[in-house]
Amino acid sequence: MTLEKIVEQLKPEHYFNLSTFRYKDLFNEVEVVWDVLKKLPLYLKEKAHRDLSRATVHPTAIIEGDVYLGKGTIVEPYAVIKGPTIIGENCLIQPFAHIRGNVIMGDYTRIGNYTEVVNAILLGGTGSSKKELAHFAHYNYIGYCVIGSRVVLGARVTTSSLRADWKPVTVKIGENKYDTGLPQFSAVIGDEVQVGCHTLLDPGSLIGKNSWVNGAPFEWKGYLPPKKFAKGKNNVYEIVDKKPVD
């Protein structure tokens, strides 16, 4: 994507600290944050290879194609993982989760029961404590998105990636609208964001670092700045400053 001036809200560093991400070279020369998804298939074609030797995989789990599982990762009963996929160290893939391919998942990530992940970059967590992990609860749909470090998605969060008219997804920030050039694109979710249960993120959603989106059921569309709290019901909400949490 070519823009005369790349505004701050479009840059990867506005959303992510990539210093602990094992595959941060994927973001090399990426100026507009969603363009990293355009690089993902080729990157995985070059980097992904089948290696399950360092992980613990339940005999009922199904793993197909070029799937790499990092040291200490656990794949629980009846989970399905399809390549090309790279999953980092100390991750947990819970029963009946479905990783459909074109996925990079950072270390210390937990994928809940029946959660589906496809065409996604998840930066993962930074350690084994509860606050350091990346949590994606049960019955999530996580697709065509980029999600930062130590993010929490509550149960039944959906990242919607297709427009009803099948046109390329656009992003609106203030009065400016940007064409992503992507036929499917759901969201960019910054580091340490928390998204509450039963939330729908519409195509072209951007959520800044350290923000909260909460209220069940809740629908979010557009850009949320860092350190904000969007709260409400359905698509009626208010945005306030996020209060510090110990």
Side-chain angles (χ1 to χ4, degrees):
M1 180 178 184
T2 301
L3 297 172
E4 291 183 2
K5 182 179 180 181
I6 306 297
V7 298
E8 178 66 26
Q9 294 95 328
L10 302 184
K11 297 178 180 179
E13 56 265 33
H14 184 70
Y15 300 91
F16 314 123
N17 176 355
L18 296 170
S19 63
T20 62
F21 185 46
R22 195 178 296 272
Y23 304 101
K24 56 181 173 286
D25 61 313
L26 174 58
F27 286 83
N28 289 350
E29 300 180 359
V30 173
E31 293 185 312
V32 179
V33 64
W34 54 75
D35 282 348
V36 72
L37 291 169
K38 301 173 184 177
K39 296 178 63 178
L40 181 60
L42 181 59
Y43 186 90
L44 281 166
K45 185 177 180 179
E46 294 174 349
K47 300 282 188 178
H49 63 279
R50 189 176 178 88
D51 185 353
L52 317 180
S53 63
R54 299 170 180 84
T56 301
V57 180
H58 193 273
T60 62
I62 298 172
I63 299 183
E64 299 177 352
D66 289 327
V67 174
Y68 175 85
L69 301 178
K71 181 181 178 181
T73 285
I74 298 171
V75 182
E76 294 192 329
Y78 302 103
V80 177
I81 306 176
K82 297 178 181 179
T85 289
I86 296 173
I87 295 177
E89 296 183 358
N90 301 303
C91 296
L92 176 64
I93 312 300
Q94 293 185 312
F96 298 99
H98 189 181
I99 314 299
R100 288 173 43 199
N102 277 327
V103 172
I104 294 180
M105 190 180 303
D107 301 342
Y108 297 105
T109 300
R110 290 188 175 182
I111 301 295
N113 302 349
Y114 295 95
T115 284
E116 182 178 353
V117 187
V118 62
N119 283 285
I121 302 166
L122 314 180
L123 270 60
T126 57
S128 59
S129 73
K130 194 168 185 178
K131 288 186 176 181
E132 294 174 316
L133 290 168
H135 294 267
F136 302 98
H138 47 289
Y139 293 102
N140 286 175
Y141 173 77
I142 302 166
Y144 302 88
C145 57
V146 190
I147 299 181
S149 177
R150 301 198 291 191
V151 167
V152 177
L153 301 188
R156 298 183 186 275
V157 171
T158 296
T159 60
S160 178
S161 63
L162 275 172
R163 288 173 47 140
D165 59 8
W166 301 94
K167 292 181 180 179
V169 175
T170 58
V171 170
K172 189 174 182 181
I173 302 177
E175 298 301 316
N176 298 315
K177 185 179 285 188
Y178 304 92
D179 185 350
T180 67
L182 292 166
Q184 286 187 265
F185 166 57
S186 61
V188 171
I189 301 175
D191 293 343
E192 299 190 72
V193 166
Q194 295 189 36
V195 179
C197 300
H198 293 270
T199 297
L200 170 64
L201 301 179
D202 282 341
S205 293
L206 305 177
I207 302 176
K209 291 179 183 178
N210 217 348
S211 287
W212 289 358
V213 177
N214 193 29
F218 189 75
E219 180 180 359
W220 174 262
K221 182 175 183 177
Y223 171 69
L224 181 66
K227 298 183 179 179
K228 295 295 183 181
F229 183 13
K231 58 181 180 178
K233 293 286 184 181
N234 299 316
N235 58 358
V236 179
Y237 53 84
E238 63 174 329
I239 298 173
V240 299
D241 290 335
K242 180 187 168 189
K243 295 179 180 179
V245 176
D246 293 333

